[in-house]
């Protein structure tokens, strides 16, 4: 399953050279990651009656820039699970120009599952097969 999220480049995304600041690309990835994981019901607002909270942290993130973005460009950010391991999973991202599908940037993030003490732990038995089923 691939999640796509359209974003319009804002004036606050632009640096002094008139192009999108490189750190903003990671924010675009973050938006797509949250949408993707919400869509798969892996994250949701914690309700008071829910005793157990599931946690993960980002261990690594990468971005390869292919072309600059400018103010008011429309982009499409794509996100999908590309690998599931015992304690972690990998999400892959693409940023495309929405009107032409030209690749602007691509990247990945590695999320590590954490136990209640904040230490790396095995993915829960109910979650692991769901993630595997979503791998592209």
């Amino acid at each position: 399953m691939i999640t796509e999220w359209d974003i319009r480049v804002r004036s606050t995304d632009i640096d002094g050279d008139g192009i999108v600041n490189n750190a903003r690309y990671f924010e675009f990835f973050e938006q797509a990651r949250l949408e993707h994981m919400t869509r798969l019901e892996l994250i949701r607002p914690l309700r008071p009656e829910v005793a157990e909270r599931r946690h993960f942290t980002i261990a690594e993130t990468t971005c390869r820039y292919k072309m600059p973005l400018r103010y008011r460009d429309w982009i499409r950010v794509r996100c999908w699970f590309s690998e599931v391991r015992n304690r972690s999973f990998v999400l892959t991202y693409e940023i495309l120009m929405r009107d032409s599908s030209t690749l602007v940037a691509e990247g990945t993030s590695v999320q590590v599952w954490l136990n209640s003490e904040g230490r790396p732990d095995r993915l829960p038995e109910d979650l692991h097969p769901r993630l595997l089923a979503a791998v592209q």
Side-chain angles (χ1 to χ4, degrees):
M1 174 188 306
I2 297 175
T3 298
E4 296 183 342
W5 185 252
D6 290 348
I7 299 172
R8 184 138 206 184
V9 175
R10 306 163 304 168
S11 62
T12 55
D13 298 325
I14 306 301
D15 64 16
D17 294 326
I19 59 175
V20 171
N21 182 284
N22 62 329
R24 295 290 193 202
Y25 289 75
F26 292 99
E27 293 175 14
F28 299 153
F29 290 168
E30 176 186 30
Q31 279 302 126
R33 176 174 55 251
L34 293 173
E35 288 301 319
H36 188 62
M37 294 180 75
T38 299
R39 181 177 173 202
L40 292 169
E41 298 181 352
L42 299 175
I43 59 172
R44 57 184 169 264
L46 188 65
R47 297 182 316 268
E49 65 272 13
V50 176
E52 181 183 15
R53 175 175 267 191
R54 295 183 170 195
H55 295 280
F56 63 89
T57 190
I58 295 178
E60 178 182 335
T61 186
T62 66
C63 183
R64 178 169 294 174
Y65 307 95
K66 300 291 188 174
M67 63 178 282
L69 288 170
R70 302 189 187 293
Y71 174 62
R72 297 190 53 81
D73 281 343
W74 272 108
I75 58 173
R76 177 161 291 149
V77 185
R78 302 176 78 228
C79 176
W80 63 91
F81 289 100
S82 55
E83 186 177 350
V84 176
R85 304 170 186 158
N86 290 329
R87 295 173 180 247
S88 62
F89 51 92
V90 179
L91 288 165
T92 297
Y93 310 93
E94 290 179 338
I95 299 176
L96 309 166
M97 296 300 290
R98 190 177 78 167
D99 59 348
S100 67
S101 296
T102 302
L103 184 63
V104 173
E106 57 190 353
T108 61
S109 62
V110 178
Q111 289 72 208
V112 174
W113 199 259
L114 301 176
N115 64 18
S116 59
E117 288 85 40
R119 298 185 185 275
D121 199 3
R122 292 183 68 82
L123 291 170
E125 289 182 22
D126 64 321
L127 181 61
H128 196 265
R130 289 177 54 207
L131 293 178
L132 282 173
V135 170
Q136 287 295 312

